[in-house]
């Protein structure tokens, strides 16, 4: 069952996020956990931000969160940014990611927005495949350099 996330979900969402980061080879500790907890809180119950979770009998199995961006002076949003979708490995290939995405897209459409921006790591072939299957197109690249 997909529903809006609430404050009581914060610890489970944080656990899922840490699981995802570990999968990506980026185990997170200390202050970064606190920062993500703050990010989660900033998306719960806000008008232009949303957090949806997939809940099953024994807890949360996935989430999606994002926000509206580029507000015009007349108060209309130009696009939305989908920040992250995550489904635990055991529940992948059960359409949960697609259902979470569909729920987020419906939330965005109800607000009159027709463009969605996502970012993904260039080496994450599964994620890129997921986005392409859902008719997202690559429109630009971000370059990064450590100094």
């Amino acid at each position: 069952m997909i529903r809006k996330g609430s404050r009581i979900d914060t610890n489970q969402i944080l656990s899922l996020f840490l699981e995802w980061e570990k999968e990506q080879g980026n185990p997170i500790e200390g202050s970064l956990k606190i920062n993500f907890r703050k990010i989660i809180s900033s998306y719960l119950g806000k008008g232009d931000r949303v957090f949806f979770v997939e809940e099953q009998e024994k807890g949360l199995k996935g989430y999606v969160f994002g926000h509206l961006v580029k507000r015009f002076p007349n108060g209309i949003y130009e696009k939305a940014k989908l920040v992250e979708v995550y489904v635990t490995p055991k529940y992948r290939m059960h359409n949960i990611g697609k259902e979470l995405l569909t729920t987020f897209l419906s939330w965005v459409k109800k607000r009159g927005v027709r463009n969605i921006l996502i970012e993904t790591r260039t080496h994450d072939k599964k994620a890129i495949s997921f986005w392409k299957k859902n008719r997202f197109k690559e429109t630009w690249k971000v370059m990064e350099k450590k100094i």
Side-chain angles (χ1 to χ4, degrees):
M1 173 186 82
I2 296 177
R3 61 174 175 76
K4 275 192 174 179
S6 67
R7 301 231 180 266
I8 62 170
D9 298 318
T10 303
N11 287 336
Q12 284 189 71
I13 293 168
L14 181 59
S15 293
L16 291 176
F17 171 75
L18 295 173
E19 184 178 316
W20 181 79
E21 286 295 327
K22 191 174 179 183
E23 277 182 53
Q24 298 296 314
N26 302 319
I28 291 185
E29 299 174 0
S31 65
L32 287 176
K33 284 184 190 178
I34 293 168
N35 286 343
F36 192 71
R37 184 179 294 278
K38 288 178 183 176
I39 291 168
I40 294 167
S41 294
S42 77
Y43 278 83
L44 298 173
K46 306 288 185 190
D48 62 348
R49 296 172 173 225
V50 71
F51 217 116
F52 291 105
V53 295
E54 165 65 26
E55 183 175 37
Q56 298 203 1
E57 65 281 349
K58 294 186 178 180
L60 302 183
K61 306 304 177 198
Y63 62 80
V64 60
F65 71 102
H67 57 271
L68 304 176
V69 294
K70 300 218 177 183
R71 181 179 281 225
F72 292 120
N74 62 1
I76 297 174
Y77 291 99
E78 177 188 9
K79 54 180 78 171
K81 181 169 184 178
L82 190 153
V83 177
E84 194 166 282
V85 175
Y86 178 74
V87 177
T88 59
K90 181 179 174 183
Y91 288 87
R92 291 180 189 157
M93 306 309 288
H94 292 92
N95 281 330
I96 292 173
K98 172 92 172 156
E99 291 171 8
L100 286 163
L101 173 60
T102 299
T103 301
F104 180 77
L105 295 177
S106 292
W107 179 83
V108 168
K109 280 183 180 179
K110 286 178 185 174
R111 281 142 186 87
V113 176
R114 297 293 180 255
N115 294 310
I116 309 290
L117 171 68
I118 59 119
E119 296 175 15
T120 190
R121 294 176 173 128
T122 55
H123 70 274
D124 194 342
K125 304 300 181 206
K126 288 181 183 179
I128 292 167
S129 175
F130 173 81
W131 296 118
K132 286 183 177 180
K133 283 180 190 173
N134 286 284
R135 300 189 337 243
F136 282 78
K137 296 177 184 168
E138 187 176 314
T139 56
W140 54 281
K141 292 187 185 231
V142 175
M143 307 294 279
E144 182 178 327
K145 178 181 179 177
K146 292 186 180 189
I147 54 172

